């Protein structure tokens, strides 16, 4: 006796449910391999759905059957419920001309940075009642943009500490958390979110172009120096290149090659781009050709958690680069030979491994050293000219979320809201500021000003005497 169509349908519906897995404890690097289980599950889901759809069409006829276009299932990360906090919109009253961007890591700062700011309490701009997730600064225009878990971006004047405008309207903006943002040299802002959208915001306006190419949350966006090119990476395992020469952006190419969600992305000078994924692979790309120039599989055991190009004493980008991983290792790569030239267990000790969250190599700004911050709550410096020999180490009060360097100092934002100011060469902590009430997720510095933002929804600013 053949099974009835109703019993087949019931069996297909059961296949849509994930089978329970006996608890055996988390495997080693389980966080790094969860995307593989997700991919297998989604494949089973699609297969079962197709069978269910075919049976329904056979029963009811294609004209009245289930639509072939089912809601898109986000790959690699579960849907996050929308925040109840809604941003308040404001109109822009400030107009700034487009000007060249200033270096993120100034090589020279005044001596007052070693003793502390004029007013340690600083100025605080409360822009949201939920965490701020990302930030980018335009010193020439005198403003910082911060992206929030309330789906909006806020632009703040770095001198007055007042909010200039809100990038969110009923018809424009993100529908989920804003995860990454960057200024373009002409003052426009590009942002990415959990909603898989990229938004290109006009300078001094709250109007934007929505770019919908990605199929999963955006992890990072970056701007290629000296070009009209923006690059985005996503949990959909792709890297996309955008031509932003004109007011309306257009996609130049889609770079595919990663087998896991892409978490890290850094543009170098000229045509080079490096990206790292959740499976431990690092890929170097040619932006012009859109092709892979170097693929480093299993570069790290676990996630690739940080990438940085090496810079010479003048701060110029070199061909070699550094990677950090969930395994606590710092590695130096030469893409010309496609080999790792130095590998140090930078943040591995008897207590375990600390994922390397930040790597900075910025010439004189970092005392010509490579500086790392990791989950073992330390900041360390290494000499790339001496086989990555350790130079200094500083202990932190909590997990490091952000780090920049300036004039031989490392400024590290921690999970407890503190900002540690550290002499890179000696490893001495000069002082710490209470920048935010919770995790400090972004830090920016100029010769005379410090800007921080974090989980308490505020932007913290303070000045240093010239």
């Amino acid at each position: 006796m053949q099974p009835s169509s109703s019993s087949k349908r019931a069996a297909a519906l059961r296949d849509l449910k994930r089978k329970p897995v006996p608890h055996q404890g988390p495997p080693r690097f389980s966080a790094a391999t969860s995307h593989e289980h997700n991919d297998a599950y989604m494949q089973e889901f699609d297969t079962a759905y197709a069978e269910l759809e075919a049976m329904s069409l056979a029963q009811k006829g294609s004209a009245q059957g289930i639509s072939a276009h089912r809601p898109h299932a986000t790959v690699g990360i579960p849907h996050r419920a929308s925040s109840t906090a809604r941003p308040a919109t404001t109109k822009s009253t400030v107009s700034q001309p487009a000007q060249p961007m200033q270096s993120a890591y100034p090589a020279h700062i005044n001596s007052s940075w070693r003793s502390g700011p004029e007013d340690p309490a600083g100025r605080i701009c409360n822009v949201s009642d939920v965490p701020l997730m990302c930030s980018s600064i335009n010193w020439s225009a005198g403003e910082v943009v911060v992206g929030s878990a309330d789906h909006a971006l806020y632009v703040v004047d770095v001198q007055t500490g007042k909010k200039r405008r809100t990038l969110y309207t009923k018809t424009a903006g993100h529908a989920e958390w804003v995860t990454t943002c960057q200024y373009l040299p002409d003052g426009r802002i590009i942002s990415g979110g959990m909603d898989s959208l990229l938004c290109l915001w006009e300078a001094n306006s709250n109007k934007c172009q929505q770019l919908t190419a990605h199929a999963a949350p955006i992890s990072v966006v970056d701007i290629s120096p000296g070009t009209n090119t923006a690059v985005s990476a996503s949990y959909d395992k792709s890297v996309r290149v955008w031509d932003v020469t004109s007011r309306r952006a257009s996609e130049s190419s889609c770079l595919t090659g990663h087998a896991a969600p892409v978490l890290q992305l850094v543009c170098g000078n000229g045509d080079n781009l490096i990206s790292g994924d959740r499976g431990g692979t690092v890929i170097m790309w040619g932006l012009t050709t859109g092709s892979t120039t170097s693929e480093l599989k299993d570069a790290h055991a676990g996630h690739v958690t940080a990438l940085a190009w090496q810079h010479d004493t003048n701060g110029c980008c070199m061909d070699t680069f550094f990677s950090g991983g969930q395994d606590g290792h710092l590695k130096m790569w030469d893409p010309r030979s496609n080999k790792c030239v130095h590998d140090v267990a930078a943040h591995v000790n008897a207590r375990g491994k600390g994922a390397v969250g930040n790597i900075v190599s910025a010439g004189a700004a970092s005392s010509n050293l490579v500086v790392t911050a990791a989950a073992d709550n330390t900041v360390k410096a290494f000499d790339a000219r001496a086989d990555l020999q350790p130079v200094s180490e500083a202990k932190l009060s909590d997990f490091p979320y952000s780090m920049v360097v300036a004039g031989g100092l490392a400024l590290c934002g921690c999970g407890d809201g503190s900002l540690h100011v550290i002499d890179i060469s000696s490893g001495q902590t000069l002082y710490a500021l209470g920048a935010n009430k919770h995790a400090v997720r972004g830090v920016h510095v100029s010769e005379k000003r410090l800007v921080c933002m974090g989980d308490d929804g505020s932007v913290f600013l303070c000045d240093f005497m010239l």
Side-chain angles (χ1 to χ4, degrees), residues 79-368:
H79 175 73
R80 190 182 297 273
S82 299
S83 167
T84 56
R86 304 304 298 172
T89 58
T90 59
K91 293 184 178 180
S92 170
T93 58
V94 180
S95 178
Q96 297 288 342
Q99 298 181 28
M101 303 293 285
Q102 183 173 322
S103 171
Y105 306 125
H108 305 287
I109 54 177
N110 64 76
S111 58
S112 65
W113 275 92
R114 291 185 167 271
S115 56
E118 295 178 1
D119 178 12
R123 303 180 299 285
I124 297 176
C125 180
N126 293 305
V127 296
S128 180
D129 57 359
V130 295
L132 304 179
M133 312 303 296
C134 57
S135 62
S136 181
I137 201 152
N138 187 341
W139 290 112
S140 299
E143 63 184 34
V144 61
V145 61
V146 294
S148 173
D150 66 9
H151 315 166
L153 295 101
Y154 302 93
V155 179
V156 176
D157 188 302
V158 298
Q159 182 171 352
T160 66
K162 303 295 184 181
K163 183 170 66 175
R164 285 184 175 179
R165 62 189 182 277
T166 299
L167 304 184
Y168 181 92
T169 69
K170 292 181 179 179
T171 58
H174 291 282
E176 278 290 353
W177 293 10
V178 182
T179 54
T180 179
C181 59
Q182 288 287 343
Y183 273 100
L184 274 65
D186 61 7
R188 288 179 294 168
I189 297 166
I190 187 168
S191 61
M194 290 281 291
D195 54 4
S196 311
L197 287 178
L198 288 165
C199 292
L200 181 60
W201 301 90
E202 296 180 7
N204 310 308
S205 171
N206 60 3
K207 296 180 180 179
C208 80
Q209 174 192 1
Q210 291 187 332
L211 307 172
T212 58
H214 282 293
I218 312 297
S219 52
V220 61
V221 294
D222 199 13
I223 309 301
S224 178
T227 70
N228 292 305
T229 302
V231 188
S232 58
S234 169
Y235 276 74
D236 66 7
K237 308 173 188 175
S238 75
V239 174
R240 294 180 184 267
V241 182
W242 305 88
D243 184 349
V244 292
T245 304
S246 63
R247 180 181 176 185
R248 302 285 294 180
S250 60
E251 185 177 354
S252 300
S253 58
C254 177
L255 313 182
T256 58
H258 284 285
V262 185
L263 304 180
Q264 302 295 324
L265 174 74
V266 184
C267 293
N269 285 339
D271 195 50
N272 294 328
L273 165 73
I274 46 176
S275 56
D277 67 35
R278 194 171 177 173
T281 295
V282 174
I283 298 179
M284 185 172 176
W285 311 86
L287 281 177
T288 303
T289 62
S291 60
T292 300
T293 59
S294 179
E295 184 174 1
L296 309 168
K297 291 187 176 181
D298 300 320
H300 289 277
H303 305 178
V304 176
T305 52
L307 292 170
W309 290 97
Q310 184 180 13
H311 288 73
D312 62 19
T313 55
N314 296 317
C316 297
C317 185
M318 302 172 67
D319 291 332
T320 48
F321 65 89
F322 303 95
S323 68
Q326 191 182 26
D327 54 10
H329 281 246
L330 170 67
K331 296 187 178 184
M332 182 176 178
W333 302 90
D334 185 347
R336 293 165 296 188
S337 62
N338 208 32
K339 292 181 179 179
C340 174
V341 292
H342 299 300
D343 178 3
V344 294
H347 297 275
V348 179
N349 52 47
R351 292 172 295 177
K353 303 176 179 67
V356 182
N358 300 92
I359 304 174
V360 180
S361 166
S366 59
S367 296
N368 295 313

